[in-house]
Each structure stands twice: as C-alpha cells, then as structure tokens.
Amino acid sequence: MPFLDWLVVIGYLAIVAMIGFIASRRSDQGNAFFLAGRSIPPWAASFSVVATVLSAATFVGMPQQAYRGDLTYMVFKFAGLPALIVVGIFFLPTFYRSTRASIYGVIGERYGSGAGAAAGVSFLIGRLLASGARLFMAAIAVSWVLFGSAEPGPLALTITMVAIGTSLYAIAGGIRAIVWTDVMQAVVAAVVGVVALVVLWKLIDRPMDEVVAMLQAGG
C-alpha cells in the first residue's frame, strides 16, 4: 500500500484513539460513562445519529443493490425520516424526564422488568447480526487497503483489528468518546463524499446528458 494510504489510516486511528483517551478522563463514573453527564450538545448528538445510521452497507452494499435495480434500501432510509420525527416528538421527552441510562430501563420501569429485558435482548440480537454484517463489509475494504487482499487470513486479521480498536475506545471513553468520534466520522464522510463526486465528475470525459442517456439505455 502506498505510504500516503498508510499515513491516512494511521492518522485517522490516532485521532480516534486520542478522542477516546480524552473522553476516558471524564467518564470514570456510571453517569458519565453512559450519559456523558448529560452534557453532549444537541448538534453533536445529531451528528452522532447521522454517523450511526451510515455504515459500510451504506457505501458498499446500497450502491450495488441500487445498480442492480433494487431500491428497497433507499425506501427504508426515506421511511426513517418520519420515524425519527415521531420518536423525537413522542418518545424522547419521556426518556429525558427519566433518570434511566437507556430506553430499556424506561420500558422496564413503565411496563415491568420482563418487558425491559425482552426489549433489550431483542435489540442486542438485532445489533449483533446487523453490526456483524457491517463489520464484515467494512473489513473487506480495509483489508484491500492494508493487505491488498480480502482472502480469509487477511480478512480475519482486519476484522479482529477493527473490532478490538473500536471496542477499546468505546470502553475507555464511554458514550462521550462514541459521540465525538461519530461527529468526526460524519464530517469525514460528508467531505469525502463531495470530493469523490468531484473526482468522478472530472474522470468522466462526457457531457452529463450523454452520461444520463447511457445509464438509461443500460437499464
């Protein structure tokens, strides 16, 4: 891998580690670890939400699926907007009035410990499957960058590295580290997305109307 690529990867990981270290010094108590002392700015929380819904599936799986003519994933994303509005209006106020550290604690408090436990377990199972798939997709790209291959050996090593790295800063810094690294990732994703579009635009040596016509002709 070229030196510049290594420099970008190492620099990015160093910034993530630094954020986790700084946050860890302020997350030594349960309230700080899970709630960051309720001191996260609204704009940072919003950036974190955006970064959370973006993943390798967004940049790797979704374009491939759309290219094949299946836009169901896009419909799911559009449907998420009204869902977020409903959650923000009707559910978040109840959560913020509660002293619980998670929404599952609120469910348990309101409907009983069994309901809270069932909701929590359901979420964990869903996250385990979904996050596992996203980790696998992300590791394929990272493995190609680091090792020039996505064979089982390099891929397994990449998955281990990514999983351990993200777990360490999350465990060390708590929700504060997660939110601020999410902010960084959201900014990086937006900037890189714009840069990628500009680069692709310059690489396509044809008028846009001709490009659109070719895409339509190709189905």
Side-chain angles (χ1 to χ4, degrees):
M1 184 174 67
F3 172 76
L4 182 59
D5 292 341
W6 275 107
L7 186 63
V8 170
V9 172
I10 294 174
Y12 184 83
L13 293 177
I15 293 174
V16 170
M18 181 182 66
I19 293 174
F21 173 74
I22 294 173
S24 67
R25 296 186 298 177
R26 304 176 60 185
S27 302
D28 54 350
Q29 298 177 353
N31 183 57
F33 185 86
F34 291 108
L35 301 177
R38 299 184 182 270
S39 62
I40 296 295
W43 66 267
S46 301
F47 271 66
S48 180
V49 170
V50 172
T52 299
V53 299
L54 297 177
S55 67
T58 308
F59 297 103
V60 178
M62 184 177 175
Q64 181 187 27
Q65 189 177 24
Y67 180 77
R68 293 178 176 178
D70 186 355
L71 300 179
T72 53
Y73 194 85
M74 183 181 297
V75 174
F76 171 77
K77 290 297 183 182
F78 281 125
L81 179 58
L84 289 174
I85 295 174
V86 171
V87 169
I89 294 175
F90 296 103
F91 293 96
L92 279 184
T94 301
F95 175 65
Y96 277 111
R97 287 194 297 266
S98 172
T99 58
R100 299 291 182 173
S102 74
I103 191 63
Y104 308 104
V106 176
I107 294 174
E109 186 177 55
R110 188 177 183 90
Y111 301 106
S113 58
V121 170
S122 299
F123 173 80
L124 288 175
I125 293 174
R127 284 299 87 197
L128 179 64
L129 297 175
S131 297
R134 291 180 173 92
L135 175 60
F136 179 75
M137 284 185 280
I140 293 175
V142 176
S143 182
W144 274 107
V145 172
L146 293 178
F147 305 108
S149 169
E151 294 296 322
L155 185 58
L157 179 59
T158 303
I159 291 174
T160 303
M161 291 168 52
V162 173
I164 291 176
T166 53
S167 298
L168 285 178
Y169 83 77
I171 293 173
I175 193 65
R176 193 188 306 275
I178 293 173
V179 168
W180 288 112
T181 52
D182 280 349
V183 170
M184 181 186 69
Q185 291 176 31
V187 173
V188 169
V191 172
V192 170
V194 173
V195 172
L197 288 175
V198 172
V199 171
L200 288 173
W201 176 270
K202 291 184 177 181
L203 290 176
I204 299 176
D205 190 22
R206 293 177 182 272
M208 181 51 62
D209 55 348
E210 185 177 342
V211 173
V212 173
M214 292 174 62
L215 292 173
Q216 292 175 342

